[in-house]
C-alpha cells in the first residue's frame, strides 16, 4: 500500500499507530514527543513507557495510544546527529525499519511517522527526509501498509539543495506560461490535424494492401496497427507483460493501492485519473513518448504549463523512476503526489 506525505499534527491522526520520536529512556520530552504525551495522557503513557524502561537507539517499542485517536504508539529512537560519522544514517534507517516491522507484526493497516531526529536531535533535515523516504519506500516494496509521513511545518521538510536547484532550472527552462502555451497548442493542433488526416489516409492504404495476400506488414508497423485501438487498461496489461514485472511489483512501484489496481486490471475500459496513469508509467519505467502514449489512452497529455507534469517529466528524462523520490520533490514544490 502507498506512502503519502501530509502536512498535519500527528496527534490528530486516526491510524492504527503513530510513531513517536522518542529518547532511549522513554521519558516525555519536547517536540513531537511532548505533543504525543500530552494528547495521549501524560501519566498513563509515562507509566506504560516506564514498564518497558529502555529502548536502544535505532530500535522501537510499542504502547497503547490511550486518549489518542490512534490505537497504538510506536516509540522509535533516532540518533543524535554528531556530524555523520557515528553510524547516524544506519541508526536512523534502522529505527524506521524496526517501527515498520512492529506495525507488520501487529497486523496494522496504517501507521504515521514524524521526521525522526530532524528536530532536537539535529539531523540535517534534507538528509533525515531522504533516509525516511528510502527506508519506508524499501519496506513498502515488500509489504502492504498505508504509511503517512507527517510534516508538521514546511520548514522541516527540505529537499537536498542540489536536487531542488536542478529541478528549478529544469522548470525555468521548460515551463511555458499559459497564453503562450495556448497559442503554441493551437498551431500544433493545426499541424496535428493535417498529420492525422494524412496518417489516416496512409493507414487506410496499408490496411487495404494488407488484405491482398501478396503484401506483408513489417513488425513495427503491424504493432502500431494492432495497438491502435487499445484502451488504457489493455495497453497497461500489455506493457506489464512485456516488462516481465509482476502485478504487485507494478502497483507497489506506482504507489497504488492493490484494490485500485485490480479494478483497472479487470475493467478493460477503466478511466484512471491522470495521477494514476502517470504513476503507472513511472512504475513501468516508460520514456516520455511511451508515457505520452499511455496517458493519451486515458484522454490526458503532458503539458509544459503544468509544474506537476514538468517535475514528473524531469525525473523520466533523468531515468529516475523511484516514485518516492519523485513524490518527495512534488511535495517540496507544493504539487500533488503520484499514486495513493
Ligand atoms: N506532529 C508531527 N510532527 C511534529 C509535531 C507534531 N505534533 N511536533 C513536532 N514535529 C516534528 C518536528 O517539526 C520535527 O521535524 O517532528 C520532527 C522531529 O522533531 P523532535 O520532536 O525534536 O524529535 P527528534 O529530533 O527525534 O528528537 C528527539 O526530542 O523531545 C525529545 O523525547 C524526545 O529526546 C527526544 C528528542
Amino acid at each position: 500500500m502507498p506512502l503519502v506525505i501530509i502536512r498535519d499534527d500527528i496527534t490528530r491522526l486516526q491510524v492504527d499507530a503513530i510513531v513517536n520520536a522518542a529518547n532511549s529512556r522513554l521519558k516525555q520530552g519536547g517536540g513531537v514527543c511532548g505533543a504525543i504525551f500530552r494528547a495521549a495522557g501524560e501519566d498513563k503513557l509515562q507509566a506504560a513507557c516506564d514498564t518497558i524502561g529502555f529502548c536502544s537507539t535505532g530500535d522501537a517499542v510499542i504502547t497503547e495510544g490511550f486518549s489518542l485517536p490512534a490505537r497504538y504508539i510506536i516509540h522509535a529512537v533516532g540518533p543524535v546527529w554528531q556530524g555523520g560519522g557515528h553510524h547516524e544514517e544506519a541508526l536512523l534507517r534502522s529505527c524506521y525499519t524496526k517501527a515498520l516491522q512492529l506495525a507488520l507484526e501487529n497486523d496494522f493497516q496504517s501507521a504515521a511517522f514524524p521526521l525522526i531526529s530532524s528536530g532536537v536531535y539535529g539531523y540535517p533535515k534534507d538528509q533525515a527526509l531522504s533516509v525516511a523516504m528510502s527506508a519506508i519506500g524499501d519496506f513498502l516494496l515488500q509489504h502492504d501498509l498505508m504509511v503517512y509521513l507527517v510534516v508538521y511545518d514546511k520548514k522541516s521538510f527540505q529537499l537536498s539543495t542540489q536536487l531542488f536547484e536542478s529541478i528549478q532550472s529544469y522548470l525555468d527552462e521548460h515551463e511555458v506560461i499559459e497564453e503562450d502555451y495556448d497559442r503554441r497548442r493551437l498551431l500544433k493542433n493545426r499541424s496535428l490535424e493535417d498529420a492525422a488526416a494524412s496518417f489516416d489516409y496512409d493507414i487506410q492504404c496499408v490496411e487495404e494492401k494488407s488484405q491482398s495476400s501478396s503484401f506483408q506488414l513489417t513488425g513495427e508497423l503491424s504493432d502500431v496497427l494492432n495497438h491502435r485501438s487499445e484502451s488504457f487498461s489493455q495497453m497497461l496489461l500489455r506493457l506489464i507483460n512485456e516488462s516481465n514485472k509482476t502485478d504487485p511489483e507494478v502497483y507497489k512501484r506506482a504507489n497504488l493501492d492493490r484494490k485500485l489496481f485490480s479494478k483497472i486490471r479487470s475493467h478493460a475500459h477503466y478511466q484512471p485519473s491522470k495521477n494514476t496513469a502517470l504513476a503507472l508509467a513511472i512504475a513501468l519505467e516508460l520514456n516520455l513518448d511511451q508515457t505520452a502514449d499511455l496517458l493519451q489512452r486515458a484522454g490526458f497529455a503532458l503539458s509544459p504549463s503544468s509544474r506537476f507534469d514538468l517535475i514528473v517529466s524531469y525525473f523520466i528524462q533523468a531515468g529516475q523512476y523511484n516514485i518516492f523520490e519523485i513524490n518527495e520533490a512534488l511535495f517540496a514544490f507544493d504539487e500533488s503526489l503520484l499514486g495513493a
Side-chain angles (χ1 to χ4, degrees), residues 26-228:
L26 302 174
K27 295 294 182 197
Q28 177 171 6
V32 70
C33 179
I36 290 175
F37 270 77
R38 284 191 296 279
E42 294 167 333
D43 296 342
K44 282 179 285 180
L45 180 54
Q46 192 58 70
C49 284
D50 289 346
T51 314
I52 301 170
F54 185 82
C55 178
S56 311
T57 304
D59 209 345
V61 295
I62 188 163
T63 65
E64 250 185 76
F66 300 103
S67 304
L68 284 170
R71 292 197 294 136
Y72 292 90
I73 304 168
I74 296 175
H75 304 262
V77 183
V80 175
W81 179 256
Q82 297 177 71
H86 293 76
H87 311 292
E88 289 96 328
E89 186 180 338
L91 289 166
L92 185 56
R93 177 173 273 275
S94 159
C95 79
Y96 278 101
T97 311
K98 291 282 175 63
L100 289 161
Q101 271 162 359
L102 276 177
L104 203 66
E105 283 161 28
N106 285 280
D107 284 329
F108 294 163
Q109 303 289 310
S110 55
F113 286 78
L115 282 167
I116 301 172
S117 285
S118 72
V120 175
Y121 281 0
Y123 210 105
K125 293 183 193 311
D126 58 334
Q127 293 180 45
L129 171 66
S130 80
V131 174
M133 293 296 284
S134 143
I136 299 170
D138 285 354
F139 184 89
L140 290 184
L141 292 180
Q142 309 296 328
H143 306 284
D144 277 339
L145 182 71
M146 180 75 214
V147 178
Y148 299 91
L149 187 61
V150 185
V151 174
Y152 192 48
D153 53 309
K154 193 75 197 295
K155 275 192 290 162
S156 54
F157 186 93
Q158 274 177 22
L159 214 53
S160 85
T161 317
Q162 197 193 357
L163 179 59
F164 190 88
E165 284 174 358
S166 168
I167 294 174
Q168 189 60 61
S169 65
Y170 184 87
L171 290 175
D172 292 344
E173 216 174 294
H174 294 85
E175 204 165 14
V176 174
I177 52 166
E178 202 67 49
E179 310 93 79
D180 195 14
Y181 176 55
D182 284 347
R183 198 153 31 81
R184 278 208 223 165
R185 196 170 47 177
L186 205 67
L187 290 171
K188 196 173 166 203
N189 278 350
R190 272 195 212 130
S191 54
L192 275 179
E193 275 165 24
D194 292 347
S198 116
F199 180 71
D200 276 347
Y201 177 75
D202 290 348
I203 293 283
Q204 203 185 331
C205 295
V206 171
E207 279 172 344
E208 277 165 13
K209 273 194 184 179
S210 71
Q211 278 153 15
S212 81
S213 54
S214 58
F215 188 83
Q216 289 289 315
L217 288 178
T218 59
E220 216 168 288
L221 183 53
S222 140
D223 279 353
V224 172
L225 289 178
N226 288 339
H227 301 148
R228 199 153 66 114

